[in-house]
Amino acid sequence: MSGWEGKYVIGLTGNIATGKSLVRRMLENLGAYTIDADSLGLQTMAPGAPAYKPVVSMFGRWILDADGRIERSKLGAVVFSHPEALARLEALTHPIVEQAVQMLIKRSKHRVIVVEAIKLLESDLAELVDAVWGVNTSEEQQIERLVKKRAMAEDEARKRVRVQNPQADKL
């Protein structure tokens, strides 16, 4: 048990484009308070946010757009091609995200809380939840979704799917 008095916290996980966000929204429509940890991770890198300067310092100013915002596509090209770069990025952002998730759970008045996180099991977030729910689909379905919904080139979509820990490990 997570130890959140009067609350039941579900950790929702699965690899990229498996349908986690759809399941999270369904649970939200049923009355759960939902937290998108992946979105929080992006927010930590916004200008002025805690991970912004460390990420720019680590990866260089070339990842910035004309307005000084981190371009996800540029950063993604590096971290999804080099596992050590992804590990460094996660070392900067994950502790901040975990603090934010804890604060949001604590402040929530809802009895059921859902934390969607692609890296739930690979992080300390797993220790915060009462149950882990996994969302699964085929690799081909993941690639199709990335190509159609995120306008990714098929070779880039395949790279993104294959750089992650195997979905079977999460299940």
Side-chain angles (χ1 to χ4, degrees):
M1 297 297 283
S2 67
W4 299 101
E5 189 175 334
K7 299 173 185 179
Y8 189 75
V9 182
I10 299 167
L12 181 63
T13 194
N15 281 354
I16 192 169
T18 56
K20 295 179 305 300
S21 296
L22 175 64
V23 173
R24 177 180 47 82
R25 286 189 304 271
M26 291 168 73
L27 292 166
E28 185 173 41
N29 286 334
L30 292 170
Y33 177 70
T34 64
I35 301 167
D36 182 347
D38 302 330
S39 178
L40 289 174
L42 294 174
Q43 291 175 38
T44 68
M45 295 184 290
Y52 178 79
K53 285 183 180 178
V55 169
V56 173
S57 176
M58 180 172 293
F59 293 98
R61 298 195 57 79
W62 72 273
I63 64 170
L64 301 178
D65 65 15
D67 295 325
R69 301 185 73 76
I70 294 172
E71 279 194 50
R72 290 177 61 191
S73 60
K74 289 180 180 178
L75 184 59
V78 173
V79 301
F80 291 113
S81 296
H82 305 285
E84 65 281 356
L86 180 59
R88 287 180 176 172
L89 177 64
E90 290 172 348
L92 292 173
T93 59
H94 282 193
I96 300 165
V97 170
E98 289 167 16
Q99 282 183 320
V101 168
Q102 285 184 28
M103 180 189 66
L104 291 168
I105 292 171
K106 184 177 180 178
R107 289 184 179 175
S108 175
K109 304 292 184 209
H110 290 72
R111 292 191 60 218
V112 176
I113 300 163
V114 177
V115 179
E116 176 191 347
I118 198 166
K119 294 274 186 143
L120 179 83
L121 299 172
E122 298 89 345
S123 71
D124 292 338
L125 288 175
E127 297 173 21
L128 301 177
V129 303
D130 296 301
V132 174
W133 291 14
V135 181
N136 189 31
T137 193
S138 70
E139 183 176 303
E140 287 308 310
Q141 181 68 53
Q142 288 174 274
I143 293 164
E144 182 180 324
R145 288 175 179 166
L146 291 170
V147 169
K148 285 184 179 177
K149 294 181 180 178
R150 298 193 194 175
M152 238 181 241
E154 185 174 334
D155 60 327
E156 180 63 22
R158 288 188 185 284
K159 183 170 37 169
R160 294 276 178 107
V161 168
R162 293 189 176 140
V163 74
Q164 296 181 332
N165 291 340
Q167 182 68 11
D169 290 355
K170 288 186 194 287
L171 299 176

